[in-house]
């Protein structure tokens, strides 16, 4: 197994430029810091885009997308570039993993796995790009009619910090495969992987201006892109409140948006389930990535007959999770991605205590001296919660599991579906008829049966209700970035 490089010392702090029109542009004014959440040290300073850089990026993208070099590039040639990006990402996987690890604190093994997954996404969309067809549609008279799919032109991709490169690949690969120019705005917590992706894309032969990476805040760079008249479509992954603000701004422009938002996913265990497997899945489903996963199984429903035993074994298993520095051998949970976010998690757990919850395990920072400088928080399980408690209703986006009882199937469905979110869900049972019955009634974009967090680039992914609009991944993930045109030839 590979080991991570040592994080750069503070003396190496440098100002990272952004990528506009194939050139690296430094903007020192309002530059922000990328912080290592495991130590509190500054990794880099990063250029912050103002309205002027947003304008430059949009202008460059429009110029590049209209150039014959990109506009007339054949599908298999575009696919070739995507494959070269994937290969380069694999070659430089240590660098990408290292950058993600020092910016969001995920453990080394998960960072490495996410780079491999991002490269696979580029390869998948290379395949789709090369093989996807236009359609001849049935004529109803003396003509030949067809549907052709064309890019929007310039699209913006705005991403969060929890799995930056995965989300960026999930947007940039299909948007480029569809023939667009892209302006990527990564989270201010994790700007570096996107900047390296921009570099690799140029090296792989993508024409300058087709992928621009604009770093900066959501309030200035993100909002500036969404409201810019030259941006024709926005693909966003992040919190529901930001997604709503983007949808409102998009409505003013009558612009399509794809939104992948928050979740509060129910993880359901019936008495006949394979208990060992279910415990492992429940633990992984909430505590992997320190709970900072949109599909985290954060509401646990266990059938009353096994609830006591399941809870005791779950707590014992949780106590064995190794919380450590993300580069440490065998670390299973690193820090929370930022100190501000840990504060939010702590205030949510406090609200649960105030509402009378029992903390079965965790509920505090780890005591180890070596972790005192980082934004660490222990895996936490809460019980004795009211159905309408804040922590049951709202996404915490941290290592906090709410254990809730259910009586029967009807009660379960009612509780599972009473959330405003509807991203994912899990069911553990040996009864496949019951699994099917429940899977069809859950209001969620993904349902896992006797597995959890199984994700594939070929299966459409997205949310019901306030968890989002539109579906990424799969063949339709490319069409998301195109509009159709009907063409008629008189015969
Ligand atoms: P966030 O909404 O704060 O920020 C996400 C991105 O949007 C950042 O790049 C930010 O700068 C930008 N942004 C913020 N406000 C904006 C605005 N008004 N206009 C334009 N851009 C704006 O989210 P976060 O804290 O970075 O990420 C955590 C959230 O993301 C969680 O709610 C999580 O569930 C969600 N998420 C969802 C998925 C999914 O696929 N459904 C995946 C990962 C994360």
């Amino acid at each position: 197994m590979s080991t991570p490089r040592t994080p750069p010392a503070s003396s190496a702090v440098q100002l990272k430029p952004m990528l506009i029109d194939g050139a690296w542009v430094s903007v020192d004014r309002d530059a922000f810091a990328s912080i290592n959440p495991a130590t509190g040290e500054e990794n880099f300073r990063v250029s912050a885009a103002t309205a002027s850089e947003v304008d430059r990026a949009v202008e460059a993208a429009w110029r590049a997308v209209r150039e014959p070099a990109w506009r007339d590039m054949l599908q298999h040639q575009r696919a070739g570039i995507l494959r070269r990006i994937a290969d380069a990402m694999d070659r430089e996987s240590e660098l990408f993993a290292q950058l993600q690890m020092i910016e969001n604190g995920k453990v080394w093994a998960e960072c490495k796995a996410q780079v491999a997954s991002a490269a696979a996404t580029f390869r998948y969309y290379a395949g789709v790009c090369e093989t996807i067809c236009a359609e001849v549609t049935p004529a109803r008279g003396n003509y030949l009619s067809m549907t052709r799919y064309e890019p929007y032109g310039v699209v913006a991709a705005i991403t969060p910090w929890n799995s930056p490169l995965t989300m960026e690949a999930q947007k940039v690969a299909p948007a480029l495969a569809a023939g667009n120019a892209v302006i990527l705005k990564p989270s201010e917590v994790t700007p570096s992987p996107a900047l390296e992706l921009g570099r690799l894309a140029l090296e792989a032969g993508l024409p300058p201006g087709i992928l621009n990476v604009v770093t900066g805040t959501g309030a200035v760079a993100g909002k500036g892109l969404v409201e810019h008249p030259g941006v024709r479509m926005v693909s966003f992954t992040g919190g529901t409140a930001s997604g709503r603000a983007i949808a409102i701004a998009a409505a003013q422009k009558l612009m399509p948006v794809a939104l992948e938002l928050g979740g509060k996913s129910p993880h359901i265990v019936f008495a006949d389930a394979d208990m060992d497997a279910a415990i492992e899945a429940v633990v992984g489903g909430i505590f992997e990535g320190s709970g900072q996963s949109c599909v985290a199984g954060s509401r646990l429903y266990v059938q009353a007959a096994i609830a006591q035993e399941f809870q005791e074994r779950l707590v014992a298993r949780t106590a064995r999770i190794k919380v450590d520095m993300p580069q440490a051998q065998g670390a299973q949970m690193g820090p929370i991605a930022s100190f501000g976010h840990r504060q939010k998690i702590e205030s949510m757990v406090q609200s649960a205590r105030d509402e009378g919850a029992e903390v079965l395990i965790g509920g505090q920072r780890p005591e180890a001296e070596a972790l005192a400088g980082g934004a660490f928080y222990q895996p936490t399980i809460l019980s004795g919660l009211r159905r309408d408690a804040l922590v049951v209703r709202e996404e915490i986006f941290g290592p906090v599991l709410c254990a809730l009882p259910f009586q029967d199937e009807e009660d379960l469905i009612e509780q599972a579906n009473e959330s405003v979110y509807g991203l994912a869900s899990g069911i553990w049972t040996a009864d496949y008829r019951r699994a099917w019955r429940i899977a069809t009634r859950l209001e969620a974009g993904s349902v896992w049966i006797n597995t959890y967090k199984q994700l594939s680039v070929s299966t459409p992914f997205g949310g019901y209700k306030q968890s989002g609009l539109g579906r990424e991944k799969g063949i339709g993930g490319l069409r998301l970035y195109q509009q159709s045109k009907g063409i008629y030839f008189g015969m």
Side-chain angles (χ1 to χ4, degrees), residues 224-238:
L225 280 169
V226 172
E227 292 176 356
H228 200 289
V231 171
R232 295 270 173 87
M233 188 264 176
V234 169
S235 178
F236 171 81
T237 298

Side-chain angles (χ1 to χ4, degrees), residues 128-414:
V128 177
C129 178
E130 192 160 347
T131 53
I132 200 165
C133 299
E135 291 142 17
V136 174
T137 49
R140 298 176 75 90
N142 190 23
Y143 57 84
L144 169 71
S145 56
M146 59 186 293
T147 298
R148 183 181 138 82
Y149 297 90
E150 299 186 342
Y152 283 106
V154 173
V155 307
I158 303 177
T159 52
W161 44 258
N162 61 323
S163 300
L165 194 60
T166 316
M167 303 294 148
E168 283 146 16
Q170 212 163 289
K171 296 182 187 312
V172 171
L176 294 178
N180 296 282
V182 180
I183 303 171
L184 171 59
K185 207 300 277 174
S187 163
E188 42 280 59
V189 179
T190 47
S192 294
L195 292 167
E196 298 300 331
L197 172 60
R199 172 181 62 79
L200 288 195
L202 276 181
E203 290 170 8
L206 196 72
I210 292 298
L211 176 59
N212 305 277
V213 184
V214 169
T215 46
T217 61
V220 177
K223 190 163 175 286
L225 280 169
V226 172
E227 292 176 356
H228 200 289
V231 171
R232 295 270 173 87
M233 188 264 176
V234 169
S235 178
F236 171 81
T237 298
T240 292
S242 316
R244 185 174 289 112
I246 289 170
I248 290 169
Q252 292 295 335
K253 288 169 63 181
L254 291 177
M255 169 182 73
V257 283
L259 304 173
E260 299 285 358
L261 308 177
K264 192 79 197 175
S265 301
H267 206 157
I268 300 156
V269 185
F270 281 93
D272 63 354
D274 173 341
M275 205 187 285
D276 292 340
I279 287 170
E280 285 307 308
V282 167
V283 166
I286 181 66
F287 297 127
E288 249 173 47
S290 301
Q292 302 164 113
S293 161
C294 54
V295 296
S298 51
R299 288 184 292 151
L300 170 67
Y301 295 97
V302 182
Q303 198 164 23
I306 57 159
Q308 187 61 31
E309 185 192 352
F310 192 89
Q311 194 164 295
E312 282 167 17
R313 289 184 56 189
L314 180 66
V315 169
R317 172 66 185 84
T318 301
R320 297 206 313 274
I321 293 175
K322 190 172 178 218
V323 181
D324 207 342
M325 297 301 270
Q327 68 272 22
Q329 195 77 35
Q332 292 167 319
M333 247 179 75
I336 305 303
S338 69
F339 290 84
H341 189 51
R342 178 175 65 177
Q343 215 168 6
K344 186 192 148 202
I345 293 167
E346 287 177 329
S347 80
M348 292 290 272
V349 172
Q350 187 54 48
S351 87
R353 284 193 166 104
D354 295 345
E355 290 189 80
E358 187 188 347
V359 180
L360 298 178
I361 187 169
Q364 58 187 23
R365 301 174 185 185
E367 278 156 14
E369 191 66 27
L371 305 183
F376 290 87
Y377 195 75
Q378 285 187 355
T380 298
I381 304 178
L382 305 174
S383 77
L385 291 154
R386 285 176 32 174
R387 273 165 69 161
D388 62 352
L390 180 73
V391 289
V392 175
R393 286 183 285 117
E394 273 311 315
E395 183 182 45
I396 302 175
F397 215 58
V400 182
L401 178 66
C402 298
L404 298 143
F406 76 89
Q407 301 304 328
D408 52 35
E409 270 184 48
E410 282 311 308
D411 175 42
L412 168 73
I413 295 286
E414 195 184 309

